[in-house]
């Protein structure tokens, strides 16, 4: 880690863990088993730098960040201890390959930036779907590329050093654009500035806004243009949303506003199941295949006509198999555009 990176330390309170009445962070985990006392004991061992089976068994679904209602960042702690002990979550070559992908290379795009701008992170797909009435008050004010990439994905790889080194530079790059508010089109980037940066003591000099909140407010302003969709929709919640769980409340509000019925699933809300794509790189095909099969069976069983995605990674992982089962995959932005009469390449019902 660079000298600058070593300045940032995780804000974690041992006393909060010791007095926890539920041990929810591990008791609710879908990938390892622990009762309340075991959960508290293991988390305190992790805090004190002792060996814990959790450091070996955690699959990095991020959900414990949501399960901890006391804001004590159990997953960030697990990540940091793994890093300190040299416990890799993926083969070293794969970890290095992912880190290299996000390395700043001086290649980026910046639109006509005003006080509010859109962040596409490092996901070029947004350039194709972020258009139309929903975004006419901000576009073409966007930025995109490694220089503006949050790097949060590297907590999957037990590597906070690269985040501590790069994220302050990303914050500085965004600040130099002169923005006061940034609408982040991906959970992980929003979480970088609303959760991870504050947890490690980094100052964020602009207001991060989640794109769900932005969409809802824009749809309210365009209420007269909304044509209720009258479709049954399943929602595939991504792991990244666990880092900013308060934004999850916007999903039913948006769907209700556009006249789409959110179907009941076994794997939704706190019980959501990861799409499995990151598991393939880290833990092999068996775990990825298992969670993907359970997700698809659950979505089909729910009777949904569409599956709406928040994350393009999840959409890429599950779309083909869902389509073969008769469920149409669609991103939340595309669904909202459909509701105001814009056709983003799909037949409007």
């Amino acid at each position: 880690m660079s000298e600058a990176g070593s300045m940032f330390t995780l804000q974690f309170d041992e006393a909060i863990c010791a007095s926890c009445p539920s041990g929810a962070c591990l008791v609710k985990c879908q990938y390892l088993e622990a009762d309340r006392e075991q959960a508290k004991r293991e988390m305190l061992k992790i805090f004190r730098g002792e060996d814990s089976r959790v450091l070996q068994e955690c699959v990095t679904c991020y959900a414990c960040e949501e399960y901890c209602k006391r804001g004590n960042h159990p997953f960030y702690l697990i990540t940091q201890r793994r890093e300190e002990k040299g416990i890799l979550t993926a083969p070293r070559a794969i970890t290095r390959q992912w880190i290299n992908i996000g390395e700043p290379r001086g290649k980026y795009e910046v639109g006509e930036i005003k006080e509010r701008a859109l962040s596409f992170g490092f996901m070029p797909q947004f350039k194709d779907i972020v258009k139309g009435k929903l975004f006419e008050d901000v576009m073409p004010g966007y930025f995109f590329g490694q220089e503006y990439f949050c790097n949060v994905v590297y907590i999957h790889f037990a590597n906070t050093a690269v985040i501590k080194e790069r994220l302050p530079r990303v914050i500085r790059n965004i600040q130099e654009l002169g923005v006061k508010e940034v609408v982040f089109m991906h959970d992980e980037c929003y979480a970088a500035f609303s959760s991870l940066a504050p947890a490690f003591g980094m100052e964020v000099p602009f207001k991060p806004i989640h794109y769900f909140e932005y969409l809802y407010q824009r749809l309210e302003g365009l209420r007269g243009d909304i044509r209720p969709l009258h479709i049954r929709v399943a929602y595939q919640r991504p792991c990244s949303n666990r880092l900013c769980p308060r934004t999850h409340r916007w999903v039913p509000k948006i769907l209700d506003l556009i006249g789409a019925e959110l179907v009941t699933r076994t794997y939704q809300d706190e019980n959501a199941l990861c799409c499995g794509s990151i598991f393939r790189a880290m833990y092999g095909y068996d775990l990825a295949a298992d969670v993907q099969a359970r997700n698809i069976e659950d979505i089909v069983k729910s009777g949904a006509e569409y599956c709406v995605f928040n994350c393009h990674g999840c959409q890429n992982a599950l779309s083909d198999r869902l389509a073969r089962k008769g469920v149409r995959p669609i991103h939340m932005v595309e669904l909202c555009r459909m509701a105001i009469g814009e056709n983003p390449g799909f037949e409007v019902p």
Side-chain angles (χ1 to χ4, degrees), residues 129-299:
I129 66 172
V130 176
K131 54 182 68 172
K133 289 183 180 179
L134 288 172
F135 301 97
E136 63 186 7
D137 66 327
V138 184
M139 286 295 281
Y142 72 94
F143 53 85
F144 162 79
Q146 286 102 324
E147 266 66 12
Y148 302 102
F149 171 49
C150 66
N151 288 270
V152 172
V153 69
Y154 301 128
I155 55 177
H156 276 304
F157 296 90
N159 193 318
T160 63
V162 70
I163 298 173
K164 293 174 185 175
E165 179 179 339
R166 293 178 182 174
L167 190 55
R169 278 190 283 159
V170 172
I171 292 173
R172 188 165 59 249
N173 290 343
I174 296 174
Q175 183 181 21
E176 289 176 351
L177 294 175
V179 297
K180 293 184 177 179
E181 297 181 345
V182 179
V183 179
F184 289 95
M185 298 302 299
H186 190 261
D187 283 321
E188 278 195 346
C189 291
Y190 174 79
F193 305 103
S194 64
S195 171
L196 191 144
F200 281 91
M202 301 179 197
E203 184 179 353
V204 178
F206 49 83
K207 180 183 178 181
I209 299 172
H210 193 278
Y211 83 97
F212 280 175
E213 180 179 359
Y214 173 85
L215 283 177
Y216 184 81
Q217 291 176 347
R218 285 295 294 157
L219 287 165
E220 280 278 20
L222 295 168
R223 188 180 278 269
D225 292 342
I226 294 175
R227 295 186 296 171
L229 293 173
H230 301 301
I231 55 175
R232 291 168 56 81
V233 173
Y235 173 59
Q236 177 61 34
R237 190 180 184 198
C239 60
S240 52
N241 196 248
R242 305 295 196 150
L243 305 180
C244 48
R246 291 179 181 176
T247 65
H248 184 55
R249 65 191 172 94
W250 293 105
V251 173
K253 291 170 70 74
I254 290 172
L255 296 180
D256 183 62
L257 188 56
I258 63 177
E261 178 188 352
L262 179 62
V263 301
T264 300
R265 295 185 54 188
T266 297
Y267 303 120
Q268 67 183 24
D269 302 327
E270 275 199 352
N271 200 40
L273 202 57
C274 174
C275 75
S277 60
I278 197 71
F279 293 163
R280 180 175 290 110
M282 301 166 61
Y283 300 101
Y285 290 94
D286 290 346
L287 179 59
D290 173 63
V291 298
Q292 289 180 356
R294 282 195 281 159
N295 264 316
I296 289 169
E297 180 182 1
D298 186 44
I299 292 168

Side-chain angles (χ1 to χ4, degrees), residues 65-133:
E65 282 291 307
E66 177 177 25
Y67 298 151
C68 177
K69 305 303 183 187
R70 311 177 103 197
N72 214 21
H73 300 303
F75 182 70
Y76 298 158
L77 179 67
I78 292 169
T79 299
Q80 185 159 287
R81 289 292 183 265
R82 279 175 151 171
E83 184 174 29
E84 292 167 357
K85 291 177 175 294
I87 299 173
L88 300 177
T89 58
R92 197 177 301 277
I94 292 177
T95 300
R96 174 49 56 189
Q97 182 182 37
W98 274 75
I99 289 174
N100 288 344
I101 289 172
E103 183 179 8
R105 299 175 187 274
K107 295 182 178 179
Y108 55 88
E109 292 183 21
V110 176
E112 299 174 17
I113 303 294
K114 298 179 180 176
E115 290 189 350
R116 172 182 277 193
L118 298 170
S119 166
F120 295 167
F122 192 37
M123 305 189 83
Q125 298 94 326
F126 286 119
K127 295 172 65 178
D128 296 324
I129 66 172
V130 176
K131 54 182 68 172
K133 289 183 180 179

